[in-house]
């Protein structure tokens, strides 16, 4: 790296040589025979330490058990690094991304949120629809990505729920996550690294494909985007939300309504960087590198 700063990169797709030693005198973590010292800064970027030789174990009946054991180890290592205040990002927060809890936290700090229901009962869902239509539905935690020998199932992202869809539902079903559809002026994506914000307005409302959610991407005709600056009070609310959610980085999605109100939708605890940095000329990667290299 520039200015002779040493950098080590650990790829999550490779099996790492990991040792976590604990005693009354000291705790230490060694990865690939190198000890991680107390003054090193660590950035977790959408990954975890992989300790299993997958090719050998995938074909055995013990793989799922060993994955659970590995998960406990990886989370313990993260807790160790977090306790030293040297670790930004979180594998734990990424896999435990609870959208409902985040809505409650956003409400606590004074951010507006959509009217929301999670239910497995048709009558409750129909009543919510009658009171709040139009409404949308989306994944409660992760996008659908399921495969068997002959078929692959994926979700279509956020979509509007129609009365016809409700008519075809059984009395009981798997819990369904539904919100009121909020008319928007623009959508806003903000990436936060510690207390630094990088925000972008996304003009998705004029395209029928992205009108409900910009993540229903139109590859042939992408939405127009531009840098965005929040009012100071909203910035404080967002940082307070990150604090009570125990997040030090992540991407937050909001809507700016036609009444100029900011409505919190959700947070991705790892967040996206590349497109926001590229299209808004933020050079986020440079900022993060300098922050990690020079922070005391």
């Amino acid at each position: 790296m520039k200015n002779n700063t040493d950098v080590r990169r650990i790829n999550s797709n490779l099996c790492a040589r990991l040792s976590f030693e604990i005693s009354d005198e000291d705790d230490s973590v060694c990865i690939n025979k190198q000890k991680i010292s107390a003054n090193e800064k660590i950035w977790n970027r959408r990954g975890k330490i992989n300790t299993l030789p997958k090719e050998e174990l995938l074909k055995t009946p013990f793989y799922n058990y060993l994955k659970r054991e590995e998960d406990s180890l990886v989370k313990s290592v993260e807790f160790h690094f977090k306790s030293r205040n040297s670790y930004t990002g979180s594998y734990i927060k990424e896999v435990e991304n609870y959208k409902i809890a985040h809505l409650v936290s956003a409400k606590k700090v004074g951010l507006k949120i959509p009217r929301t229901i999670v239910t497995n009962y048709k009558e409750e869902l129909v009543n919510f629809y009658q009171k709040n239509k139009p409404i949308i539905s989306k994944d409660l935690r992760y996008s659908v990505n399921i495969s068997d020998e002959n078929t692959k199932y994926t979700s279509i992202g956020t979509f509007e729920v129609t009365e016809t869809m409700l008519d075809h539902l059984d009395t009981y079903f798997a819990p369904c996550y539904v919100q009121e559809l909020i008319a928007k002026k623009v959508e806003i994506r903000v990436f936060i690294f510690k207390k630094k914000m990088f925000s972008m307005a996304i003009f998705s409302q004029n395209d029928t494909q992205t009108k409900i959610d910009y993540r229903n991407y139109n590859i042939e005709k992408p939405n127009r985007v531009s840098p965005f600056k929040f009012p100071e009070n909203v910035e404080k609310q967002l940082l307070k939300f990150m604090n009570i959610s125990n997040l030090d980085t992540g991407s937050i999605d909001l809507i700016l309504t036609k009444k100029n109100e900011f409505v919190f939708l959700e947070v991705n605890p790892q967040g996206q960087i590349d497109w926001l940095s590229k299209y808004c000329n933020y050079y986020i990667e440079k900022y993060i590198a300098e922050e990690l290299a020079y922070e005391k």
Side-chain angles (χ1 to χ4, degrees):
M1 182 179 170
K2 186 179 179 181
N3 297 325
N4 298 318
T5 303
D6 292 328
V7 175
R8 278 184 283 171
R9 171 172 167 164
I10 301 169
N11 293 329
S12 59
N13 62 325
L14 301 176
C15 183
R17 182 171 176 174
L18 172 67
S19 299
F20 186 9
E21 188 170 346
I22 307 165
S23 68
D24 289 337
E25 293 77 26
D26 192 21
D27 303 333
S28 66
V29 175
C30 290
I31 300 176
N32 298 332
K33 297 194 291 186
Q34 292 182 306
K35 184 176 180 179
I36 310 298
S37 64
N39 62 349
E40 289 188 66
K41 298 294 186 290
I42 302 170
W43 179 32
N44 181 306
R45 178 63 190 156
R46 289 188 176 277
K48 71 176 185 66
I49 302 170
N50 177 30
T51 66
L52 297 177
K54 293 182 180 179
E55 292 183 6
E56 291 84 349
L57 293 173
L58 273 173
K59 299 177 182 179
T60 75
F62 306 107
Y63 182 70
N64 288 335
Y65 163 75
L66 293 174
K67 285 294 290 182
R68 290 193 294 270
E69 291 288 285
E70 179 192 55
D71 191 61
S72 178
L73 170 61
V74 170
K75 289 179 178 178
S76 297
V77 170
E78 180 174 313
F79 279 124
H80 168 72
F81 287 134
K82 284 285 190 183
S83 69
R84 303 190 320 194
N85 297 316
S86 61
Y87 191 96
T88 306
S90 173
Y91 160 72
I92 298 172
K93 292 295 183 179
E94 177 74 1
V95 298
E96 298 177 357
N97 182 12
Y98 301 125
K99 294 181 181 178
I100 300 303
H102 292 150
L103 284 175
V104 173
S105 295
K107 182 179 177 181
K108 285 181 179 179
V109 302
L111 290 164
K112 291 184 175 295
I113 61 172
R115 294 188 184 92
T116 302
I117 188 172
V118 181
T119 184
N120 68 338
Y121 188 45
K122 181 176 181 177
E123 183 178 345
E124 294 291 338
L125 185 54
V126 171
N127 288 340
F128 184 85
Y129 172 79
Q130 294 297 339
K131 293 177 182 177
N132 300 288
K133 60 183 177 182
I135 62 173
I136 54 94
S137 182
K138 57 185 176 181
D139 303 302
L140 186 57
R141 189 173 177 190
Y142 301 120
S143 298
V144 177
N145 188 4
I146 303 171
S147 299
D148 59 24
E149 292 182 359
N150 303 310
T151 310
K152 183 177 180 66
Y153 302 90
T154 59
S155 61
I156 60 172
T158 305
F159 62 92
E160 185 174 349
V161 177
T162 67
E163 196 164 355
T164 301
M165 293 177 185
L166 297 176
D167 290 340
H168 285 83
L169 287 174
D170 294 330
T171 302
Y172 291 98
F173 39 82
C176 182
Y177 179 32
V178 174
Q179 294 180 320
E180 63 174 321
L181 173 60
I182 298 176
K184 61 190 175 184
K185 182 184 292 185
V186 294
E187 290 183 71
I188 302 167
R189 163 61 67 97
V190 50
F191 175 74
I192 300 175
F193 188 84
K194 298 187 177 180
K195 295 186 182 298
K196 180 70 173 179
M197 292 188 183
F198 304 90
S199 305
M200 177 172 69
I202 307 167
F203 296 84
S204 57
Q205 67 279 5
N206 295 324
D207 186 328
T208 55
Q209 183 170 325
T210 62
K211 185 175 183 178
I212 293 177
D213 189 336
Y214 75 88
R215 290 170 298 184
N216 299 327
Y217 302 108
N218 186 336
I219 304 300
E220 295 182 358
K221 188 179 179 182
N223 296 145
R224 182 170 70 88
V225 300
S226 72
F228 185 85
K229 175 68 176 175
F230 284 105
E232 185 177 351
N233 67 309
V234 178
E235 283 192 357
K236 290 180 179 179
Q237 289 172 324
L238 292 173
L239 291 175
K240 190 174 181 181
F241 163 81
M242 296 290 285
N243 184 50
I244 69 171
S245 301
N246 293 318
L247 293 170
D248 49 27
T249 187
S251 290
I252 297 178
D253 289 317
L254 303 100
I255 284 176
L256 177 61
T257 72
K258 295 179 179 180
K259 296 181 179 179
N260 290 322
E261 295 177 323
F262 292 93
V263 180
F264 174 97
L265 298 179
E266 60 185 69
V267 61
N268 180 325
Q270 290 287 345
Q272 292 176 314
I273 297 174
D274 183 64
W275 70 311
L276 196 157
S277 182
K278 175 182 176 182
Y279 294 133
C280 294
N281 295 313
Y282 281 139
Y283 301 99
I284 297 174
E285 299 87 346
K286 181 176 184 292
Y287 173 83
I288 292 173
E290 292 176 344
E291 183 76 7
L292 295 174
Y294 305 129
E295 181 187 42
K296 294 182 180 181

